[in-house]
Amino acid sequence: MTSPLVPRMVEHSTSIFAEMSTLAVQVGAINLGQGFPDTDGPQELKDIAIAAIQDGRGNQYPPPHGLPMLREAISAHQERFYGLQVDAGAGVVVGTGASEVLQSTLLALIDEGDEVVMFEPWFDIYSAGISLARGVRVGVPLSGPDLRPDLDRLRAAITPRTKVLLINSPHNPTGIVFTRHELDGIAAIAIEHDLIVISDEAYEHLWFADHHHVPIATLPGMFERTITIGSGGKSFSFTGWKVGWASGPTDLIAAVRVVRQHLSYVSGGPFQYAMAAGLGLPDQYFAQFRADLSAKRDLLAGGLAELGFGVLMSEGTYFLTTDVRPLGYADGLEFCRDIPHRAGVVAIPHQALCDDPEIGAPYVRWAFCKRPSVLEEALERLARGLA
Ligand code: GLN
């Protein structure tokens, strides 16, 4: 029997993350592919979730758009960190991870043939979500050796069919953080062409040194056209809890709510209590989180550079990018399929996150959100395997 899968989803049949994680298990490799921390988030958040289960809070369906307490906490967080005023009643929606909220947003906004412009490489669920919505994805390559947004190319990609600009900063997979200047340029294009911006800010608290994260919604004229997406999994190191949210103007959030309520309806009741507390943790938590991750970044980046990789220093996220050409590989996909067998380490090729394989060919993404001993072991294995 031929596959019953709708044709537009055939190209999304496999996920590079699943492929590489499966390979890691098969060959016993250290998995620096899929981005999840190997240590859990704060014990006090676990205690809150456990207490909620014990006390019977959230064990039955929570309210469809999120616990009021969590919506209040999201609104307070946007005000505290960014000075944004978000209506906790109607300007926030909670979902099953940032992923569901993002897909709901695309399904709510994109109709057949509408174009979504985004920088390439992109995170894989963006392209799958656009296909689900019968939209058209338009990639704009990140440019130059530092893989930065090129505003002229972005402007040139806009057509009368463009409805949404989908941005992601801190950026997966490159690890770049858009500068204020770059965001100003993106905002000007969005305003000029009256576009809606979906801003995936899952890694909003994971930026290093002076690469502060600036939400595009804070720029003049942008709040009213921007849906900002946040991730409790990423901000509090509980990726399995799958609590994410979007915030923005009430008309845009209302549209997202319509679709989202028909997907998972609700989820993660007890975890929502814990996430509400997480968003109110003191500044010290967020500073320490960044400091820990930044040390791990330095460990992996330094080790990979010593091994001869061209390292693009990560400014944020869980990830850093390397150029594999100095190691004698022209192609990151070939490198990522070879290196688990040769060295017992798994990474993710940018190519799998691009329409145009040329754009991502030299680059490989490494996750450094792992214990230092794991990163050290991975570096030792690479040193032996590449020798
Ligand atoms: N966001 C994570 C990453 O980029 C997990 C991706 C996934 O497994 N779908 O690695």
Side-chain angles (χ1 to χ4, degrees):
M1 190 180 128
T2 54
S3 167
L5 182 66
V6 291
R8 69 182 187 279
M9 293 309 289
V10 170
E11 64 169 318
H12 306 291
S13 296
T14 57
S15 143
I16 191 67
F17 302 106
E19 179 189 336
M20 289 300 161
S21 290
T22 304
L23 186 56
V25 171
Q26 268 169 11
V27 305
I30 294 177
N31 190 353
L32 302 187
Q34 203 173 25
F36 61 92
D38 63 354
T39 44
D40 289 345
Q43 181 62 40
E44 64 184 286
L45 300 194
K46 289 188 188 176
D47 292 340
I48 291 168
I50 291 164
I53 291 172
Q54 291 291 7
D55 301 348
R57 284 177 291 124
N59 292 335
Q60 309 305 329
Y61 301 133
H65 308 308
L67 279 182
M69 180 196 218
L70 177 54
R71 285 190 273 110
E72 291 287 348
I74 292 162
S75 169
H77 170 277
Q78 296 304 95
E79 164 85 53
R80 168 183 162 199
F81 286 95
Y82 312 124
L84 286 169
Q85 256 117 48
V86 174
D87 179 344
V92 178
V93 57
V94 175
T96 306
S99 304
E100 188 203 29
V101 176
L102 182 94
Q103 302 300 41
S104 308
T105 304
L106 288 169
L107 288 167
L109 301 180
I110 297 302
D111 214 342
E112 186 153 11
D114 289 341
E115 293 173 4
V116 178
V117 173
M118 57 190 181
F119 290 108
E120 191 168 344
W122 20 251
F123 183 46
D124 64 344
I125 70 165
Y126 303 163
S127 58
I130 294 164
S131 297
L132 272 178
R134 295 187 158 84
V136 176
R137 61 178 184 268
V138 177
V140 178
L142 290 168
S143 302
D146 297 336
L147 304 177
R148 304 302 312 187
D150 180 327
L151 298 174
D152 293 332
R153 293 180 89 159
L154 179 62
R155 184 174 278 105
I158 310 296
T159 77
R161 290 310 307 260
T162 308
K163 183 150 187 211
V164 162
L165 254 180
L166 171 47
I167 65 168
N168 167 223
S169 178
H171 184 264
N172 179 10
T174 60
I176 67 164
V177 176
F178 293 4
T179 64
R180 170 71 201 232
H181 177 71
E182 288 163 346
L183 290 166
D184 279 339
I186 295 168
I189 292 168
I191 291 168
E192 185 184 323
H193 295 276
D194 196 22
L195 305 176
I196 298 172
V197 173
I198 304 175
S199 185
D200 176 0
E201 301 182 14
Y203 298 96
E204 64 187 307
H205 287 294
L206 301 179
W207 47 265
F208 312 121
D210 54 355
H211 301 286
H212 289 79
H213 167 63
V214 178
I216 197 164
T218 61
L219 273 43
M222 289 307 293
F223 181 78
E224 51 268 42
R225 61 177 69 250
T226 303
I227 295 175
T228 302
I229 296 178
S231 163
K234 299 298 186 314
S235 290
F236 304 107
S237 303
F238 290 115
T239 59
W241 289 8
K242 295 299 292 177
V243 182
W245 48 81
S247 63
T250 54
D251 56 340
L252 292 181
I253 295 300
V256 178
R257 285 180 167 195
V258 169
V259 171
R260 206 222 55 80
Q261 68 190 342
H262 296 300
L263 296 178
S264 67
Y265 182 53
V266 290
S267 62
F271 299 131
Q272 292 193 30
Y273 289 92
M275 289 297 170
L279 288 163
L281 286 172
D283 292 351
Q284 172 62 19
Y285 162 75
F286 296 96
Q288 190 60 48
F289 185 31
R290 277 196 287 278
D292 285 351
L293 203 59
S294 163
K296 292 172 180 173
R297 172 199 68 162
D298 292 347
L299 172 60
L300 187 64
L304 290 174
E306 248 172 62
L307 291 172
F309 289 90
V311 176
L312 181 71
M313 202 46 162
S314 168
E315 300 169 346
T317 74
Y318 289 152
F319 310 114
L320 67 82
T321 290
T322 60
D323 186 337
V324 295
R325 285 173 296 193
L327 274 289
Y329 290 84
D331 182 304
L333 189 56
E334 184 196 319
F335 173 88
C336 289
R337 288 190 169 140
D338 186 39
I339 209 75
H341 304 283
R342 197 170 156 195
V345 179
V346 160
I348 299 287
H350 277 209
Q351 253 164 304
L353 307 171
C354 293
D355 271 320
D356 177 358
E358 286 300 306
I359 295 172
Y363 301 111
V364 165
R365 186 196 86 170
W366 306 80
F368 50 77
C369 47
K370 309 292 176 186
R371 282 166 290 146
S373 58
V374 173
L375 298 175
E376 274 155 16
E377 167 71 21
L379 288 167
E380 277 163 30
R381 287 185 183 199
L382 284 166
R384 282 196 301 272
L386 293 168

